[in-house]
Amino acid sequence: MFSRLPLLAIVIFSLLSESSSAENVLQSHALSIHDRPKYPETFKHFEYVNPQTPKGGLLRKAATGTFDTFNTFAPKDNWADGSYFLYDTLMMRAGDEPYTVYGLIAETIEYPEDFSWVVYHLHPDARFHDGERIKPSDVVYTFNELQQNGPPHYRHLYSDVTSVTALNHYDVKFTFSKPPSKSLVLRLSQLRVLPAHYWQKDESDLSQADLKPPLSSGPYKIKELEAGRYVVYERVKHYWAANLPVNKGRHNFDLVRTDYYRDESVALEAFKQGSYDLRIDGNPKNWAQGYKGKALTHGEIVQEKIPDKTLGMRAYVFNLRKDLFSDRRVRMAISQAQDFNWINKHLFFDIYKQAYSLFSNSDLAATGLPDNAEKKLLKAWQKDLPSEVFNQAYETVDTDGSGNWRSNKIKALKLLSEAGWKLKNGTLRNQANGKPMTFEILLSQPEFERFVLPFANNLSMLGIKVRVTTIDTSQYINRLRNFDFDMVIHGFYPSIAPGTELKNFWGSASAKSHAGKNISGIAMPVIDELVEKAIAAESRNELKAVCRALDRVVLWQYAAIPQWYLPYWPVIYRKGLAHPKQAPLYENGLSTWWMKSVEP
């Protein structure tokens, strides 16, 4: 690889290597969160693609609402569908491994065992769409610009990076204030690299949300658009990375068009009329009934469940900052009023699975009693934790689906009585001050009301008065940021190898931050310690033990009431489309699809 470097670059690189030789420096084509990468340096393509896939055709998709920018780095406004993928990343994540990245803009990555720094060796052929080479100076510009002027999460995510340096024409070095977690390096490896020579022009502003098509580097570029109505992307004919192993069998359509519709009902009707080709539809009623007819019966459209290993849960979330919810017994009692089986049967056509963990649908979820590894992690905190964490398996509330939840109601009233509440004349009152229990469930999506109202009705049988309030998205976000809510519905979907996002979901610092994602406000030293251990985990087995211990702590605190999840992608598409037999499991795999009509 040195043949392409000028003499000065070789000298610099040699000095770097000599100065760090004692650090046992490693260089690789890939980096995996745990254990070894699945694919060797000589791999030709991912196993979940068809490398002989024909190129051509038009893929028509749909989105709801509107769009007003292609600049995903601007703090506000609505991104156009597909705009996130306009730029190539330093390395690309594989779809069939928990978390492994392989070379894209960066051919290889170099690092010492403690990850105190990393060097990315850029591919000599990496190009922006104007033909300019992607240089280390572009990486430096991108990082610094996002840190200084980008959305706030970049400053938080990369706060441990102390310097970014272009070592020569092909190599860029990141240095950290302290040895970081491998998950941070993996996220850094997915940095989308911006063209400095474009964004440093007076007429270009990275903080400005507009519809000017930006200079980019990915497999597609913007061909045409009508503001808020549609956008068409065209495959770049001389895309520099088309034949790299990470891209073989991918990006197969010549054109990709997304049309925008007012809402999902309009989008559904447009699909049935043949206006577009593919949709992912998690609406239970649509999935069960919306596609019935001759088109489905005669095979004109295909309804398919594609396996998905996305983990996590959607949940009702208590605001633990409120005095009303300070007693765990109150939260436990309220959780008894959720009748998932009735809702799934009568409202959701039995398509959902009940969420049972922060990591539902994965091997990180706690099941049964804690094993020895989990007990060891929790032993020092035993006096601060409920005894159930150690001697009882957490189980979600169970019913027979008939709507009769009498046994759970009795349990709930007993817990409320123990917590100082008494049901009298149909109203639950605090025995100390006589005040009735009342709270608000805040929503931003009207369609949630259909399953929240049965929950609120069950709570009314406990004497609890619940207001269900639906407001627009901007008001909803502002109220969350100001902690001005009692209960909300929120999705917690960590990566398949959870790391720093756990700080946002459950960490004490995030609970205090108005920009944080710790919605519940739960703040416990044991959680903070376990999160740090998860971030630092060096093997999948170690991560399993830590995540399962964390799972038990949060679940037994009843900071949230798990709702449901889907273990598959609910995809509906026209018969002219095709995809490989093997699904990638950790992504939806749409980049591997192709048009049958262009097959030889």
Side-chain angles (χ1 to χ4, degrees):
M1 68 178 281
F2 290 97
S3 59
R4 69 173 188 262
L5 300 179
L7 178 59
L8 179 59
I10 295 174
V11 172
I12 294 174
F13 187 80
S14 298
L15 289 173
L16 171 66
S17 300
E18 289 174 10
S19 64
S20 57
S21 58
E23 298 179 272
N24 193 18
V25 174
L26 308 172
Q27 184 170 338
S28 178
H29 69 294
L31 181 67
S32 179
I33 184 69
H34 300 126
D35 309 316
R36 297 175 62 86
K38 176 179 179 178
Y39 297 98
E41 186 174 2
T42 56
F43 85 104
K44 303 300 182 184
H45 57 81
F46 292 130
E47 289 180 359
Y48 56 87
V49 306
N50 174 4
Q52 306 303 321
T53 299
K55 306 289 185 182
L58 164 66
L59 173 65
R60 300 173 302 167
K61 303 192 299 176
T64 57
T66 187
F67 69 93
D68 51 25
T69 188
F70 293 103
N71 181 7
T72 61
F73 301 99
K76 296 182 179 180
D77 293 299
N78 300 305
W79 307 340
D81 179 62
S83 55
Y84 189 89
F85 303 102
L86 287 170
Y87 293 101
D88 277 335
T89 53
L90 285 170
M91 304 184 80
M92 201 195 95
R93 187 170 179 173
D96 59 348
E97 297 176 78
Y99 203 160
T100 303
V101 292
Y102 294 86
L104 186 54
I105 290 176
E107 274 189 304
T108 58
I109 180 173
E110 185 172 7
Y111 52 91
E113 286 185 333
D114 68 355
F115 282 104
S116 56
W117 53 264
V118 295
V119 171
Y120 293 98
H121 302 289
L122 305 193
H123 199 294
D125 296 333
R127 294 289 186 276
F128 294 108
H129 291 162
D130 63 354
E132 284 288 317
R133 188 170 63 81
I134 302 176
K135 302 181 289 293
S137 57
D138 294 304
V139 180
V140 173
Y141 166 80
T142 300
F143 183 86
N144 289 336
E145 185 66 20
L146 292 179
Q147 283 287 82
Q148 295 166 18
N149 302 311
H153 70 271
Y154 283 104
R155 289 188 286 280
H156 173 73
L157 184 60
Y158 300 135
S159 59
D160 290 335
V161 178
T162 56
S163 67
V164 187
T165 308
L167 299 178
N168 49 55
H169 293 303
Y170 293 96
D171 304 321
V172 60
K173 181 179 182 181
F174 288 79
T175 304
F176 304 97
S177 58
K178 58 183 179 181
S181 66
K182 193 183 288 187
S183 63
L184 172 58
V185 179
L186 285 162
R187 283 170 171 76
L188 188 63
S189 299
Q190 293 182 276
L191 182 71
R192 292 172 291 158
V193 180
L194 299 169
H197 66 283
Y198 172 84
W199 286 105
Q200 288 177 328
K201 293 179 180 178
D202 292 339
E203 63 269 27
S204 300
D205 185 352
L206 196 60
S207 66
Q208 183 66 39
D210 58 35
L211 285 169
K212 181 182 178 182
L215 174 64
S216 50
S217 59
Y220 287 91
K221 64 181 179 180
I222 300 160
K223 178 180 174 62
E224 61 179 283
L225 67 110
E226 184 176 336
R229 299 287 301 277
Y230 72 87
V231 57
V232 179
Y233 298 93
E234 64 177 338
R235 188 162 53 86
V236 177
K237 292 181 180 178
H238 303 293
Y239 173 46
W240 75 272
N243 293 315
L244 291 185
V246 294
N247 281 328
K248 280 287 183 71
R250 301 176 65 238
H251 315 305
N252 302 314
F253 299 100
D254 282 346
L255 298 170
V256 178
R257 175 180 176 127
T258 299
D259 286 291
Y260 277 74
Y261 297 91
R262 184 178 70 249
D263 56 40
E264 281 294 338
S265 62
V266 177
L268 173 60
E269 290 307 311
F271 177 80
K272 291 194 286 188
Q273 293 169 16
S275 297
Y276 61 98
D277 307 310
L278 176 148
R279 59 188 268 117
I280 297 174
D281 194 344
N283 181 294
K285 186 175 181 180
N286 289 351
W287 185 257
Q289 299 179 338
Y291 302 96
K292 288 182 177 179
K294 290 182 179 180
L296 184 61
T297 303
H298 296 165
E300 296 298 318
I301 61 174
V302 180
Q303 201 171 6
E304 185 175 359
K305 297 177 180 179
I306 297 178
D308 174 29
K309 284 302 230 177
T310 300
L311 66 150
M313 66 174 184
R314 190 164 68 180
Y316 290 108
V317 185
F318 293 97
N319 185 354
L320 302 187
R321 305 170 187 87
K322 300 280 182 145
D323 290 340
L324 176 62
F325 300 132
S326 61
D327 193 315
R328 186 175 74 108
R329 293 168 296 186
V330 169
R331 305 193 297 272
M332 291 174 69
I334 289 172
S335 74
Q336 299 300 309
Q338 178 179 241
D339 191 342
F340 166 79
N341 289 325
W342 185 91
I343 291 172
N344 200 34
K345 180 180 179 180
H346 293 276
L347 300 180
F348 295 157
F349 301 87
D350 279 327
I351 78 164
Y352 284 119
K353 301 291 185 182
Q354 184 161 21
Y356 54 93
S357 163
L358 312 184
F359 311 104
S360 298
N361 198 33
S362 82
D363 59 354
L364 302 178
T367 56
L369 295 173
D371 62 20
N372 290 335
E374 296 169 59
K375 289 178 181 177
K376 184 177 181 181
L377 289 164
L378 295 169
K379 184 176 181 180
W381 303 96
Q382 189 158 0
K383 62 180 177 59
D384 301 317
L385 296 171
S387 60
E388 297 99 320
V389 171
F390 297 90
N391 58 32
Q392 192 171 328
Y394 176 85
E395 294 180 351
T396 54
V397 175
D398 190 32
T399 65
D400 62 9
S402 69
N404 181 355
W405 63 293
R406 184 174 181 274
S407 61
N408 292 334
K409 181 181 176 182
I410 293 171
K411 180 179 179 180
L413 289 171
K414 182 175 185 294
L415 286 164
L416 290 167
S417 177
E418 292 172 357
W421 296 85
K422 186 174 182 180
L423 180 62
K424 186 175 182 180
N425 298 325
T427 299
L428 188 71
R429 295 185 180 276
N430 187 292
Q431 296 183 61
N433 55 33
K435 290 183 178 180
M437 182 180 289
T438 178
F439 66 89
E440 177 186 57
I441 300 178
L442 188 66
L443 308 175
S444 65
Q445 300 182 57
E447 60 268 27
F448 285 3
E449 293 176 7
R450 64 195 299 263
F451 63 79
V452 173
L453 290 174
F455 178 52
N457 183 61
N458 281 358
L459 289 170
S460 72
M461 297 180 192
L462 299 175
I464 302 171
K465 184 179 179 181
V466 176
R467 304 182 312 279
V468 179
T469 305
T470 304
I471 56 179
D472 66 47
T473 302
S474 60
Q475 289 178 302
Y476 181 83
I477 292 171
N478 285 333
R479 285 189 60 176
L480 256 63
R481 286 175 175 171
N482 292 316
F483 309 141
D484 181 20
F485 66 93
D486 299 323
M487 175 181 280
V488 295
I489 294 172
H490 191 73
F492 299 92
Y493 300 104
S495 68
I496 196 67
T500 53
E501 68 268 34
L502 296 177
K503 279 188 176 182
N504 275 331
F505 292 164
W506 311 110
S508 298
S510 181
K512 300 172 185 177
S513 170
H514 292 282
K517 294 182 180 179
N518 185 339
I519 306 297
S520 71
I522 191 170
M524 299 175 67
V526 59
I527 292 178
D528 295 331
E529 179 178 279
L530 290 171
V531 166
E532 291 298 333
K533 287 182 181 295
I535 293 171
E538 295 184 356
S539 71
R540 185 71 181 176
N541 285 337
E542 183 180 352
L543 182 67
K544 285 179 188 178
V546 175
C547 285
R548 290 171 182 174
L550 174 65
D551 203 17
R552 296 181 193 280
V553 172
V554 176
L555 290 174
W556 279 110
Q557 287 298 317
Y558 284 87
I561 306 172
Q563 290 184 332
W564 41 81
Y565 70 97
L566 273 181
Y568 56 84
W569 294 98
V571 183
I572 305 93
Y573 58 94
R574 304 204 174 279
K575 69 175 183 179
L577 295 177
H579 63 80
K581 292 181 180 180
Q582 180 179 336
L585 293 183
Y586 301 117
E587 63 173 57
N588 62 31
L590 291 181
S591 68
T592 69
W593 289 48
W594 69 90
M595 188 69 68
K596 286 183 179 179
S597 61
V598 298
E599 292 178 345

